Amino acid sequence: MTEPTSRATAGSLTIDDRFVIAAALDRILYDDPDHFATEDARLLRRMIPRTRSPWLRLGFRAESQGPSVSGRAAGVGDVKMDGDKKVVEGGVGEAPVWRCGQYKISNHGDDLEIWQVMSDEFAEEPKGARLEYGATGTPERLTFFQPRDLELRIPFTGIAVGLRLGGWQPWKSAA
């Protein structure tokens, strides 16, 4: 295992540091289906700068569909044209994220939150994991993000309000 070439501060991670972090994450996530190496987990915690996490984190995603038109076209039959779909995403209390290879990672102190670059809590199939540490800093477990979606439709309107509640489910334990 390669040690980092520099000690990362709150404002910097070298490209070499990011390669070492990505390699350690690959080993943690993909080497063994039931366990991960504690040395890799300790290395990650040392290398990823700890950031102050807000006490409340909220994310939102709003989608709206424009008006649709339907009718009958000669030689074609029934036709329906949907309006444009607009999506707005945002969040409050988001912690700084470090991009390392195919991962986005945040150090919250007692856990590291890991997401694949093209995924987040709102993705159709979110790909997130959390590496959890005990009170003494010992790596304990790896959990994965399991969304629970709720949808509330308002009667007699075309409005639906969706709520995604996330939970972390057990995945791997420290070797």
Side-chain angles (χ1 to χ4, degrees), residues 71-88:
R72 194 158 179 79
V76 176
D78 293 334
V79 177
K80 182 177 180 183
M81 295 176 52
D82 290 323
D84 292 336
K85 185 177 189 179
K86 296 178 185 172
V87 177
V88 176

Side-chain angles (χ1 to χ4, degrees), residues 92-168:
V92 176
E94 297 289 324
V97 175
W98 297 96
R99 167 82 190 268
C100 300
Q102 67 169 329
Y103 307 104
K104 300 177 288 187
I105 185 167
S106 298
N107 184 347
H108 302 290
D110 54 350
D111 69 61
L112 297 175
E113 197 169 311
I114 306 154
W115 290 91
Q116 279 193 330
V117 168
M118 299 301 286
S119 184
D120 61 16
E121 295 95 334
F122 302 114
E124 194 168 314
E125 293 182 26
K127 294 181 170 92
R130 189 167 66 187
L131 191 52
E132 299 174 0
Y133 298 84
T136 61
T138 305
E140 292 183 348
R141 70 185 147 270
L142 184 68
T143 57
F144 69 93
F145 183 77
Q146 180 66 51
R148 290 182 185 88
D149 294 331
L150 303 173
E151 186 174 87
L152 173 65
R153 295 202 171 266
I154 301 173
F156 311 111
T157 70
I159 299 173
V161 177
L163 179 64
R164 174 164 276 183
L165 304 173
W168 297 96

